[in-house]
Amino acid sequence: MTMNIKTVLYAFLLGSLMIFSFGFTETNKEVTLTCKVAGCEKVDSLFLFEFSGVVFSKIGSTPRLEDGTYQFKLPKTEQPRFYYVGNNMQSLKPLILGTEEEVLLTGSCLNFRGAIIQNSKINQDYQLIKQKINTQKSKVKSLTNQYRQAGRDSAKIAQIDGDIKKLDEERLMWLEGLKERDPYMRHVVAFNTYLSFRNYGQGYPNEIQYFANTFFQFVDWTNEDYEYLPWVFEGTKSYATTLSSIQLPKDQHQMVLENLLKNIPEDTRTYQLAFGGILAGMQAKNHPNYIYFGQKFVQKYKATDMRACVEVNRQIRNIKGTILGGEAPNFTMKTPEGEDMSLTDLRGKYVLIDFWASWCGPCRRENPNVVAMYNKYKERDFEILSVSLDGNKDRWIQAIEKDGMDWHHVSDLKKWQNAAAKMYGVRSIPHTVLLDKEGKILARNLRGPNLEAKLKEIMGD
């Protein structure tokens, strides 16, 4: 493995939530969550949610009281549990409840996620833990950048290795110290303790195998606390995202993730939360193995979590439509003239779907190349359908005219919420998808010389 792959992987690696309404031990006491939030005069109720690893479910609501506060009453439990609270799904505050009788949340309905949790030691401890984890991630990012700049400077590389070893030792000491002092927070740290391959990778032929076998080395999958711990989801999502980013053969990728699931007791809530994290990681990278694992998830949970299965089936359809050889999902949007146009209107021609925006510098710099390709092949059954991630119609139209983009254009003017971009898993622009005459995907993300070479191959000249 080259230095470049190792440093990128190390940076990525070192870089929610599951609550069930059954199966926990209650005491005779209650937990009261009081929410004092400003800007909520028009908000009649707040809601409490749980997360199954795939979808959120509303498990409770409370009306606005005469004094302007909101109160939830929950059974006190022996195990801490993560919940989400808020007035809409777009801005939820995660918090830990169950072991403390009185918890106060203050903030604003305009930014519920930024609310502050008070008189709750467990939530304050959790915030400190997250801050320290983020500090460590920043150190890793800095060290990785130093590696890239070091080149072949052996003295510099040795110094960086020493700094990484120091960071590894610091993480191990922190983890060990929490064993007696705070076992619950140790679970969180365990999911965020990945030791460097350079210092601990002896016996492994490369960092990919080291990562696959040691990423969860401090995690105890049988621990009951995990059934309500969001880091089960976050950890497995990070793991699957990494594996889906490093060009593993499809069968090897599948085997590694199946081996992970085999380590988790299948009849536990932890298993479903981890399974949801695996799916989320693959979805983030549009990995074709999402189809295989998604179908397994649906088969297992179709009788117990239909809402999650509906969502997974929806993602399966989307993934099928974005992998090479799959049929491109159809969409319909407005042209600059306000008329509806569908992708299928261009069936029978080679089509380049071009995701761009007037405000995107790289897109505008790429447009002359696209114009050249269009002018060369437009008489040979080649069409372009540009999908703009603009929010301002006038700027969109002005950019089309200025760049000489004399082909089909559509947009819903929703910027990054553009329906077609979400359907095709577009997370950066410019992004292109090339289709054959039957609407099957031939290639993705072709630009410049690569686009020219692919069109030359197709057109035979």
Side-chain angles (χ1 to χ4, degrees):
M1 180 178 292
T2 66
M3 174 70 73
N4 184 50
I5 294 176
K6 286 194 288 187
T7 54
V8 170
L9 183 59
Y10 183 57
F12 190 93
L13 301 178
L14 289 180
S16 86
L17 150 92
M18 188 178 193
I19 307 164
F20 290 83
S21 56
F22 56 86
F24 56 87
T25 303
E26 299 182 17
T27 71
N28 294 324
K29 297 182 178 180
E30 284 185 326
V31 174
T32 300
L33 169 63
T34 302
C35 302
K36 290 185 177 181
V37 280
C40 300
E41 290 76 12
K42 296 182 180 180
V43 177
D44 294 331
S45 299
L46 292 185
F47 305 100
L48 202 63
F49 296 88
E50 63 181 14
F51 183 58
S52 69
V54 176
V55 294
F56 287 89
S57 298
K58 189 187 300 180
I59 62 170
S61 64
T62 185
R64 179 182 172 88
L65 302 179
E66 291 184 1
D67 64 357
T69 65
Y70 305 81
Q71 277 194 350
F72 292 93
K73 297 286 187 178
L74 301 166
K76 192 173 183 182
T77 60
E78 293 182 356
Q79 293 173 294
R81 296 176 57 165
F82 273 80
Y83 294 83
Y84 288 97
V85 63
N87 61 314
N88 62 72
M89 290 295 298
Q90 284 67 50
S91 183
L92 298 177
K93 178 68 176 183
L95 73 168
I96 308 169
L97 299 173
T99 60
E100 298 171 317
E101 294 182 14
E102 298 282 345
V103 177
L104 174 64
L105 183 146
T106 60
S108 168
C109 275
L110 300 178
N111 179 23
F112 220 97
R113 190 168 181 81
I116 298 173
I117 305 167
Q118 301 184 31
N119 65 298
S120 171
K121 184 178 185 304
I122 192 169
N123 281 285
Q124 291 167 0
D125 288 347
Y126 180 60
Q127 292 304 316
L128 292 173
I129 290 286
K130 289 203 301 180
Q131 290 173 14
K132 187 166 182 177
I133 289 171
N134 289 335
T135 298
Q136 291 176 339
K137 288 181 178 179
S138 296
K139 289 180 180 178
V140 170
K141 184 177 181 180
S142 175
L143 290 169
T144 302
N145 289 334
Q146 291 178 42
Y147 257 128
R148 291 170 177 158
Q149 298 169 5
R152 297 184 179 181
D153 187 335
S154 58
K156 184 64 175 177
I157 291 173
Q159 177 190 333
I160 300 169
D161 281 341
D163 291 339
I164 289 180
K165 185 175 182 179
K166 182 179 179 180
L167 180 59
D168 285 338
E169 293 171 350
E170 175 186 321
R171 294 162 79 90
L172 283 174
M173 289 178 62
W174 187 29
L175 188 68
E176 183 64 23
L178 288 170
K179 185 180 293 184
E180 298 294 335
R181 186 171 72 251
D182 197 337
Y184 186 76
M185 291 303 164
R186 186 181 187 276
H187 301 326
V188 176
V189 177
F191 277 98
N192 288 276
T193 304
Y194 176 77
L195 303 177
S196 69
F197 174 67
R198 296 181 69 85
N199 291 315
Y200 292 90
Q202 298 83 358
Y204 291 92
N206 54 58
E207 189 169 4
I208 293 175
Q209 289 193 28
Y210 170 74
F211 163 70
N213 287 279
T214 69
F215 187 74
F216 296 109
Q217 64 177 307
F218 301 110
V219 169
D220 176 9
W221 292 113
T222 65
N223 193 295
E224 293 182 358
D225 285 342
Y226 287 11
E227 297 180 350
Y228 312 107
L229 189 70
W231 287 97
V232 173
F233 173 86
E234 296 295 343
T236 52
K237 178 184 177 182
S238 176
Y239 186 75
T241 302
T242 302
L243 290 173
S244 303
S245 305
I246 53 179
Q247 306 300 316
L248 276 180
K250 187 178 177 182
D251 57 344
Q252 187 177 347
H253 177 273
Q254 178 181 316
M255 179 187 68
V256 173
L257 292 176
E258 285 188 321
N259 286 340
L260 169 60
L261 286 173
K262 288 177 182 177
N263 291 328
I264 308 171
E266 191 172 350
D267 59 346
T268 64
R269 304 176 185 102
T270 304
Y271 186 90
Q272 185 178 357
L273 189 53
F275 210 148
I278 288 173
L279 292 176
M282 288 186 289
Q283 178 189 341
K285 295 299 179 181
N286 287 318
H287 198 283
N289 268 339
Y290 187 99
I291 298 170
Y292 171 80
F293 283 98
Q295 289 171 341
K296 288 189 66 172
F297 182 95
V298 170
Q299 183 63 31
K300 181 171 179 59
Y301 294 108
K302 61 184 179 182
T304 58
D305 197 345
M306 182 53 67
R307 288 185 65 245
C309 292
V310 168
E311 175 61 20
V312 170
N313 273 325
R314 186 181 73 83
Q315 293 297 338
I316 288 173
R317 291 193 295 271
N318 286 347
I319 294 291
K320 282 183 176 180
T322 59
I323 60 177
L324 298 187
E327 183 172 344
N330 188 40
F331 56 88
T332 302
M333 283 187 186
K334 297 291 185 182
T335 66
E337 295 74 30
E339 299 177 355
D340 286 338
M341 182 173 185
S342 300
L343 175 62
T344 51
D345 293 342
L346 301 176
R347 189 63 54 86
K349 297 186 177 183
Y350 294 104
V351 178
L352 183 73
I353 309 174
D354 175 30
F355 293 95
W356 75 297
S358 66
W359 45 261
C360 169
C363 303
R364 304 295 294 274
R365 290 192 290 273
E366 173 65 14
N367 280 341
N369 298 324
V370 183
V371 169
M373 291 301 98
Y374 181 68
N375 290 335
K376 183 175 182 179
Y377 293 112
K378 64 182 179 180
E379 303 299 331
R380 300 174 64 179
D381 291 334
F382 176 64
E383 281 290 354
I384 298 176
L385 178 59
S386 283
V387 181
S388 171
L389 274 63
D390 272 285
N392 184 294
K393 185 175 181 179
D394 291 338
R395 292 177 183 173
W396 171 38
I397 294 173
Q398 290 169 8
I400 292 172
E401 294 175 350
K402 183 174 183 179
D403 291 2
M405 302 165 71
D406 190 22
W407 51 74
H408 300 289
H409 295 267
V410 294
S411 180
D412 57 14
L413 298 176
K414 294 181 179 179
K415 300 182 179 180
W416 284 107
Q417 296 305 310
N418 180 279
K422 294 174 71 173
M423 184 182 297
Y424 280 79
V426 175
R427 293 175 175 82
S428 64
I429 52 176
H431 186 100
T432 59
V433 183
L434 182 63
L435 314 182
D436 67 12
K437 293 184 177 183
E438 287 73 45
K440 301 291 180 62
I441 297 176
L442 291 173
R444 291 182 69 110
N445 217 20
L446 295 173
R447 296 198 294 271
N450 291 331
L451 175 61
E452 182 178 4
K454 187 63 178 181
L455 290 175
K456 185 175 182 180
E457 172 191 327
I458 292 171
M459 302 301 178
D461 63 2

